[in-house]
Amino acid sequence: TGTGPYMFNPATAGGGVHTITYTYTDGLSCTTSKTFTITVIAAPVFTTQPVSKWVAIGGTTTFTAQTAVPTDTYVWEYSTNSGTIWTAMPTETSTTLTVTNATNAMNNYQYRLVATSCTVTRSSAATLNVLDRPYQATYINWLNWGRNQLTFNWTAGTGNGRIVVATKASAWPGTNNFIPSDNVDYVANSTFGTPATKHTVGGVDYYVVYNGTANGPLSVTGLDRLETYAIHVFEYNKVGSIILYNTAPALAQANPNARMTSRKEETFGNENQVAAGFFEMGNVTPNPASDKMNFDLTVETPGMFSVEIINIQGVTVYSNEMNLAKATHSLNISLSSERGNLPSGSYILRVSSNGKSLMQNVIIVK
């Protein structure tokens, strides 16, 4: 009613079906009316935005977005350069996008949903984060060992964590051995034989003795004397519930590695050491050494003595045996001879007799 003109504004009216009645009254007070409807399709409004996801390399994940009311069309877009350029995915026309076989190249890809009715609305962007397997740890280095324990460290790989697994064996089994399973967060205890850490494969018992982010030193206890234990460090990358392990060995770089426990419990150090009633070992001089090492050995119980130099991988690189009488002996090791020509580095000098061993840390500089 009244005088016009009258304008219908869809933005003001909002989405839905609107009834409009036009009434006209002439000068003779004759009235006529016309009623009709206008359907306003609202611009898409996202009620659910896609969220960024982590996925294991080679894995599958989904992105989901939702609008308040159904729209005419949906299509997903992706960007490989942080949103600078977007490319449509014409076959992906639902509110859920499934990404399969994720690769390293897809790390940091972004995805968004385009909803179209009379107008176009785009969702916010979500990022695909691809979690890869780390490089393996290397060089298990024996720091100390006794009759019931082994202490060692290692060179960490590129993972944000790692487990250490031990088994009683002269070497890590070559086949049918323990391999960590992805997405399993293993219980660990540094006491070998803890039931909750046990995993049996092919009749062989393996124990997870560490799970964390460090690279040692780790002391594994609860061992039997004069037994050899094989140790394997497995790197992993972990984000949320996703855990990806590197299950490969680094054989050329001393992972896994094996070490025998001692007959008796002894200590390391660079002070005079005494195996009471058997022998006493004096300080090694010079230390660091380049041409030769000298030390005194006071023997109380005569017999055969073994002198060894052991590298950081636990491998004996020099060995000599001698029959010594009760006395103080001044011993030297030539580092320029063919047998004693060792490269620069850190070593352990070990003297053993009658089931007793004394050790000192030594450094060779060439």
Side-chain angles (χ1 to χ4, degrees), residues 179-233:
I179 297 175
S181 298
D182 289 342
N183 303 320
V184 176
D185 197 359
Y186 287 93
V187 175
N189 192 300
S190 60
T191 300
F192 186 85
T194 301
T197 70
K198 178 181 175 181
H199 304 271
T200 303
V201 180
V204 178
D205 294 335
Y206 298 82
Y207 295 89
V208 181
V209 293
Y210 178 78
N211 184 350
T213 61
N215 66 328
L218 173 65
S219 292
V220 179
T221 59
L223 308 179
D224 296 327
R225 68 174 185 168
L226 293 178
E227 293 286 353
T228 301
Y229 293 84
I231 307 294
H232 201 320
V233 181

Side-chain angles (χ1 to χ4, degrees), residues 90-111:
T91 60
E92 301 296 339
T93 57
S94 72
T95 55
T96 297
L97 171 67
T98 300
V99 178
T100 61
N101 194 28
T103 65
N104 275 329
M106 297 166 65
N107 189 43
N108 291 323
Y109 273 22
Q110 291 183 313
Y111 298 88

Side-chain angles (χ1 to χ4, degrees), residues 51-306:
V51 295
S52 298
K53 295 289 186 69
W54 279 94
V55 62
I57 189 167
T60 298
T61 191
T62 59
F63 295 96
T64 299
Q66 190 66 56
T67 54
V69 295
T71 61
D72 291 339
T73 61
Y74 294 107
V75 66
W76 285 90
E77 296 179 330
Y78 74 97
S79 173
T80 64
N81 52 13
S82 301
T84 302
I85 298 174
W86 289 92
T87 303
M89 307 171 70
T91 60
E92 301 296 339
T93 57
S94 72
T95 55
T96 297
L97 171 67
T98 300
V99 178
T100 61
N101 194 28
T103 65
N104 275 329
M106 297 166 65
N107 189 43
N108 291 323
Y109 273 22
Q110 291 183 313
Y111 298 88
R112 69 184 182 186
L113 181 63
V114 180
T116 303
S117 55
C118 288
T119 59
V120 174
T121 303
R122 291 176 171 85
S123 73
S124 59
T127 301
L128 177 69
N129 302 285
V130 181
L131 186 65
D132 200 358
R133 298 183 189 277
Y135 288 109
Q136 191 62 287
T138 55
Y139 296 115
I140 296 174
N141 172 34
W142 307 111
L143 301 176
N144 194 317
W145 57 90
R147 64 185 297 177
N148 301 119
Q149 61 85 24
L150 295 173
T151 300
F152 53 94
N153 60 13
W154 58 90
T155 301
T158 60
N160 57 23
R162 52 209 52 93
I163 63 171
V164 180
V165 182
T167 186
K168 185 187 289 187
S170 59
W172 191 263
T175 58
N176 197 27
N177 53 35
F178 173 83
I179 297 175
S181 298
D182 289 342
N183 303 320
V184 176
D185 197 359
Y186 287 93
V187 175
N189 192 300
S190 60
T191 300
F192 186 85
T194 301
T197 70
K198 178 181 175 181
H199 304 271
T200 303
V201 180
V204 178
D205 294 335
Y206 298 82
Y207 295 89
V208 181
V209 293
Y210 178 78
N211 184 350
T213 61
N215 66 328
L218 173 65
S219 292
V220 179
T221 59
L223 308 179
D224 296 327
R225 68 174 185 168
L226 293 178
E227 293 286 353
T228 301
Y229 293 84
I231 307 294
H232 201 320
V233 181
F234 295 95
E235 292 280 314
Y236 63 75
N237 275 326
K238 177 182 179 181
V239 176
S241 61
I242 302 174
I243 306 175
L244 294 185
Y245 288 92
N246 186 329
T247 60
L251 294 175
Q253 297 171 299
N255 180 25
N257 205 351
R259 175 76 252 175
M260 179 184 288
T261 54
S262 300
R263 184 184 300 275
K264 299 291 185 179
E265 195 71 41
E266 304 297 347
T267 60
F268 288 75
N270 289 322
E271 302 176 353
N272 290 355
Q273 298 183 65
V274 178
F278 292 90
F279 58 96
E280 177 180 340
M281 183 180 182
N283 284 346
V284 174
T285 59
N287 191 9
S290 57
D291 295 325
K292 63 181 179 179
M293 294 179 183
N294 304 296
F295 63 96
D296 288 339
L297 190 67
T298 300
V299 176
E300 296 184 25
T301 301
M304 292 297 300
F305 283 76
S306 173

